[in-house]
Every structure is written in structure tokens, then in C-alpha cells.
Amino acid sequence: EAGVAQSPRYKIIEKRQSVAFWCNPISGHATLYWYQQILGQGPKLLIQFQNNGVVDDSQLPKDRFSAERLKGVDSTLKIQPAKLEDSAVYLCASSWGLSNTIYFGEGSWLTVV
Amino acid sequence: SQQGEEDPQALSIQEGENATMNCSYKTSINNLQWYRQNSGRGLVHLILIRSNEREKHSGRLRVTLDTSKKSSSLLITASRAADTASYFCATVPPGGTSYGKLTFGQGTILTVHP
């Protein structure tokens, strides 16, 4: 069974530029999460989708971050404009349902210079 | 905000020894989960323990939970070099039906020397 796919794996951008990350969850998984992991810290939940609807985006900095999950499958996370403090690994995770084990992708590493 | 605090921050042991990591959290929970993260990789779910459970086993892993002390421990027995990784505890709040809506601790870096 294929895992959670993320791209790009690495991205370096200048501050104030924009960037987008893509996530393809495990087939059939209805729940999708985006986490931000700053170096040396544990991941922090940014947003949770159930199918194509947002369940929780309370920790998403909405002035610069946006996310969507069209058709309830793939998802994109966008940052515009980026700040230095956005340098982190962006992890996508999915699960069959709300009360099931979640599976993480390898992450997309962002460096803002 | 970080819910859990892991202790120690780093642990270095020899292959074959046992490794114990502790996690403390601040608020009530529905369940607590442990994850492993190899360097530069995503997280892997290890084990979930519910608030009404005190101990769970999975292979070489043993997890305990003390809700009165708001703490949990992860024991890895007979460690191997391949166990070298960061280990995180993560909590789900009470009434939480979403097991992926996690609040993570800072993690413990485990190094197992061959």
C-alpha cells in the first residue's frame, strides 16, 4: 500500500515569496492533516480536513497560510508571503477516519532566507 | 503550545540495554500516543494508550500511563541500533474523537550505539 506522498521534498525561497506544498493521502483516507515542525520541536497541527471540509484550522495563521482539499483527496498548503520563521518541515498525515491511526508523509522541508 | 514535555531530552545507550523515556502533560486527555521519527523522515505511530488504561505492550515496547500524575513512560527493551531516532509523545484532548488532532511534546533523541 502506497504511503502519504508529499512534494516537493525540499524548497528554499526568499522571504516574501510564496510556496505551495502538495499532499496525496493514502487511498481511501477521509481525514487529512497538515502539521508544521520547527527544528528541534514536536509537530504542531495547522489544519484538519474531513473529506473536503475543514474540521479545525484554529492554529493556521490565516493571514499568510491557506490550504484546500479539492474533491476530498489531494491537498495543497500555501504560504504567501513567507517569513523567516516559516522555515520548518511541513508534514501531511492521513487516516481512514477520525478515530483511526494516522500515517505521516516524509515531509516537505522549507527554508526561508 | 506544546502539551507534553519529554524527559530526558537526549538519551545515549548501548545496544541490548533498555531505554526509558518519560512524558508529562498538562491537561486531561482522551488518549496518549507515542511516535518515532527517524532523522529527516516522517513520524511513525508506535502505540496508543487510552486514559482508562494503565499499561500496554507492543513487541519490545511497554507504555505506562498515570493520569493522576499526568505522565507516561515508554520503555524499549533490548534496544537495537535501528531504534536510534527521536521519540515523541502526543495527546488527544477529552471528548476528542479525532485521534490525529494531536498536541506533541518536544521529543527525546535516542541514540543506540552498536
Side-chain angles (χ1 to χ4, degrees), chain B residues 36 38 60 76-87 110 112:
Chain B
R36 184 187 76 230
N38 290 83
R60 295 184 295 112
I76 304 174
T77 60
S79 63
R80 306 164 182 168
D83 294 328
T84 295
S86 293
Y87 291 82
L110 173 66
V112 182

Side-chain angles (χ1 to χ4, degrees), chain A residues 55-68:
Chain A
V55 175
D56 184 353
D57 63 357
S58 58
Q59 298 192 86
L60 187 73
K62 299 181 187 63
D63 57 334
R64 298 181 300 104
F65 286 66
S66 64
E68 60 182 8

